[in-house]
């Protein structure tokens, strides 16, 4: 089959690799019909390269048709149409039953000190072959895949794999009070969808912050009050502008949908780039023990949120020695909630919004649909924010 493979920093290629097969009774194999390119994939493209191995298959946002089913998967049949969550979880351990499948004790990558295994996401998360391919082996298929009806386009359901539950959890963790306010930092796919979810769930004021014109325009068209970073000389001016819209206090909640690749912090970027260019074994040791993030977005969130408010982190951070302004956080009594999205915990809440109309605008959420063979160009375009690329979907 054809698959998108990682070969080095900013070097992905479409190659022929062996077809996946059933290895365990709880496996299934699906033929992929659509697969997303996620902002998290860009971390592998540039920042987390020390943890990658040439030939790793990328991707974690798939949907498709079931081709084979193991004997331990009673509720799936060949021909079913499914969306596959990005994490691999059993659904039966203590963590899964507590609503935390991202911490699944069956697939937990304990040797690396990490949570549940993820598709296509470094050796830290199990080095499981990813979903930017023609076919995908799905472990723990007795729990993971979400059956969806045949008929509607893939866009109606594809984002159940990651974007929708990640945005939903970001809003849930933000604890926006009824009729309250939230600022979303970063209007990429997750931030954009988090704004839509917050409005759908009754937030009175939703502020969106970014510096990419296409992202700002999309958010404004959905009723978000936007702030263009380029209009402000410094963070203090931006914080003041948003506070002016919230009686001087700041928003009740802030969602950081940016993560480690935030603009700013030349020193942190230098450390990231240095680790990425070292031999992989040495680069991995540097990243594991000395890695730092570009924390501009998180610092802004801390300064922006009102006293007693909540910060929800959905942007991925990976630093080991990040300095945080704990005095400010303590003094402001900030509540901080974060983590990978627990996909199956939220899907029952989200599905009615996909089957009863399209209030979240998923049908036209993708800005680009490209064949799998165009993956190298798609990565480059998405990483450089060219051609208005906000959400890219690939079709094998």
């Amino acid at each position: 089959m054809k698959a998108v493979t990682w070969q080095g920093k900013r070097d992905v290629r479409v190659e022929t690799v062996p077809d996946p097969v059933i290895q365990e009774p709880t496996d299934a194999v699906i033929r992929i019909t659509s697969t997303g390119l996620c902002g998290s994939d860009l971390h592998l493209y540039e920042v987390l390269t020390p943890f990658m191995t040439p030939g790793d298959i990328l991707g974690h946002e798939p949907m498709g048709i079931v081709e084979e089913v193991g004997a331990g998967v009673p509720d799936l049949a060949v021909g079913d149409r499914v969306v596959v969550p990005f994490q691999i979880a059993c659904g039966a351990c203590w963590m899964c039953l507590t609503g935390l499948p991202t911490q699944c004790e069956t697939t937990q990558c304990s040797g690396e000190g990490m949570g549940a295994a993820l598709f296509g996401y470094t050796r830290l998360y199990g080095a499981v072959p990813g979903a930017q391919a023609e076919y995908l082996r799905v472990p723990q298929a007795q729990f993971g895949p979400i059956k969806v009806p045949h008929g509607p386009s893939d866009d109606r359901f594809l984002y159940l794999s990651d974007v929708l539950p990640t945005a939903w959890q970001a809003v849930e963790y933000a604890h926006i009070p009824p009729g309250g306010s939230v600022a979303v930092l970063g209007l990429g796919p997750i931030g954009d969808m988090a704004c839509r979810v917050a409005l759908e769930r009754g937030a009175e004021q939703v502020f969106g912050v970014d510096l990419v014109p296409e992202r700002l325009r999309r958010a404004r068209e959905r009723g978000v009050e936007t702030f263009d970073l380029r209009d402000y000389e410094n963070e203090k001016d931006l914080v003041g502008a948003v506070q002016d819209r919230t009686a001087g206090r700041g928003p009740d909640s802030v969602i950081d949908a940016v993560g480690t690749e935030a603009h700013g912090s030349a020193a942190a970027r230098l450390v990231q780039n240095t680790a990425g260019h070292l031999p992989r074994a040495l680069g991995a040791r540097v990243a594991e023990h000395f890695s730092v993030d570009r924390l501009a977005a998180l610092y802004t969130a801390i300064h922006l949120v009102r006293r007693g408010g909540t910060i929800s982190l959905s942007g991925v951070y990976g630093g080991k020695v990040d300095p945080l302004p704990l005095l400010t956080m303590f003094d402001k009594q900030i509540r901080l909630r974060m983590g990978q999205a627990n996909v199956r915990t939220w899907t029952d809440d989200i599905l009615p919004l996909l089957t009863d109309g399209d209030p979240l605008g998923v049908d036209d959420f993708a800005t680009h649909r490209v064949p799998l063979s165009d993956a190298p160009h798609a990565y480059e375009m998405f990483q450089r924010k060219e051609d208005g690329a906000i959400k890219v979907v690939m079709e094998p």
Side-chain angles (χ1 to χ4, degrees), residues 196-256:
R196 301 181 189 202
V197 170
L199 287 166
E200 176 67 22
R201 295 181 61 175
E204 183 70 22
Q205 293 177 294
V206 177
F207 309 113
V209 181
D210 207 297
L211 47 67
V212 180
E214 293 84 0
R215 294 180 175 187
L216 293 161
R217 175 186 55 77
R218 269 173 54 116
R220 280 196 301 272
E221 290 174 352
R222 301 291 304 192
V224 176
E225 184 175 348
T226 59
F227 293 80
D228 189 336
L229 280 172
R230 297 169 302 173
D231 293 340
Y232 303 94
E233 291 187 5
N234 51 52
E235 179 201 74
K236 184 178 180 180
D237 290 344
L238 169 67
V239 169
V242 179
Q243 287 177 338
D244 287 344
R245 301 289 296 117
T246 54
R249 288 186 293 270
D252 299 303
S253 308
V254 176
I255 295 171
D256 174 0

Side-chain angles (χ1 to χ4, degrees), residues 14-355:
V14 179
E15 298 189 321
T16 300
V17 301
D19 290 351
V21 297
I22 299 289
Q23 298 179 21
E24 302 289 341
T26 52
D27 287 351
V29 173
I30 70 166
R31 174 176 55 83
I32 294 173
T33 54
S34 292
T35 183
L37 175 54
C38 178
S40 297
D41 293 324
L42 296 184
H43 301 327
L44 312 183
Y45 191 63
E46 184 167 19
V47 177
L48 296 178
T49 58
F51 302 108
M52 300 294 290
T53 301
D56 282 350
I57 300 174
L58 300 172
H60 58 268
E61 295 186 352
M63 73 174 292
I65 306 298
V66 176
E67 294 281 305
E68 289 186 78
V69 180
V73 186
D75 296 327
L76 283 186
V78 172
D80 283 345
R81 190 186 194 198
V82 295
V83 179
V84 180
F86 68 89
Q87 76 246 179
I88 302 167
C90 72
C93 69
W94 187 90
M95 285 291 181
C96 286
L97 294 175
T98 308
L100 295 170
T102 55
Q103 310 303 327
C104 174
E105 293 169 320
T106 300
T107 73
Q108 200 172 93
C109 300
S110 54
E112 299 287 349
M114 308 301 280
L118 309 178
F119 287 105
Y121 214 78
T122 82
R123 67 169 173 79
L124 296 177
Y125 289 99
V128 181
Q132 290 169 4
E134 293 180 308
Y135 294 90
L136 177 69
R137 170 181 165 254
V138 182
Q140 304 297 329
Q142 81 287 351
F143 174 68
I146 305 158
K147 286 197 284 189
V148 297
H150 290 272
S153 73
D154 279 8
D155 281 348
R156 178 55 64 99
F157 300 109
L158 172 64
Y159 308 114
L160 280 171
S161 60
D162 184 349
V163 173
L164 280 166
T166 298
W168 193 274
Q169 180 171 291
V171 173
E172 184 77 17
Y173 281 7
H175 295 286
I176 307 165
S181 57
V182 59
V184 179
L185 307 181
L187 296 174
I190 302 303
D192 185 346
M193 186 58 73
C195 289
R196 301 181 189 202
V197 170
L199 287 166
E200 176 67 22
R201 295 181 61 175
E204 183 70 22
Q205 293 177 294
V206 177
F207 309 113
V209 181
D210 207 297
L211 47 67
V212 180
E214 293 84 0
R215 294 180 175 187
L216 293 161
R217 175 186 55 77
R218 269 173 54 116
R220 280 196 301 272
E221 290 174 352
R222 301 291 304 192
V224 176
E225 184 175 348
T226 59
F227 293 80
D228 189 336
L229 280 172
R230 297 169 302 173
D231 293 340
Y232 303 94
E233 291 187 5
N234 51 52
E235 179 201 74
K236 184 178 180 180
D237 290 344
L238 169 67
V239 169
V242 179
Q243 287 177 338
D244 287 344
R245 301 289 296 117
T246 54
R249 288 186 293 270
D252 299 303
S253 308
V254 176
I255 295 171
D256 174 0
V258 180
T260 187
E261 293 197 354
H263 291 268
S265 185
R269 183 178 180 87
L270 176 62
V271 173
Q272 291 176 348
N273 287 341
T274 300
H277 283 104
L278 290 171
R280 282 191 303 111
L282 178 58
R285 288 197 295 273
V286 170
E288 284 176 324
H289 299 290
F290 304 106
S291 59
V292 294
D293 293 296
R294 283 173 267 171
L295 294 171
L298 180 54
Y299 287 150
T300 298
I302 291 166
H303 296 145
L304 180 59
V305 71
R306 70 162 169 82
R307 292 179 177 271
T310 301
I311 295 174
S312 171
L313 293 186
S314 61
V316 175
Y317 286 95
K320 290 283 188 177
V321 291
D322 290 330
L324 292 176
L326 291 176
L327 175 61
T328 299
M329 296 167 71
F330 181 86
D331 181 67
K332 291 186 71 172
Q333 293 187 247
I334 291 171
R335 176 165 48 181
L336 182 63
R337 192 80 193 270
M338 68 188 81
Q340 301 274 13
N342 298 287
V343 175
R344 291 305 304 269
T345 301
W346 312 117
T347 50
D348 288 347
D349 294 322
I350 298 169
L351 270 168
L353 300 177
L354 306 179
T355 54

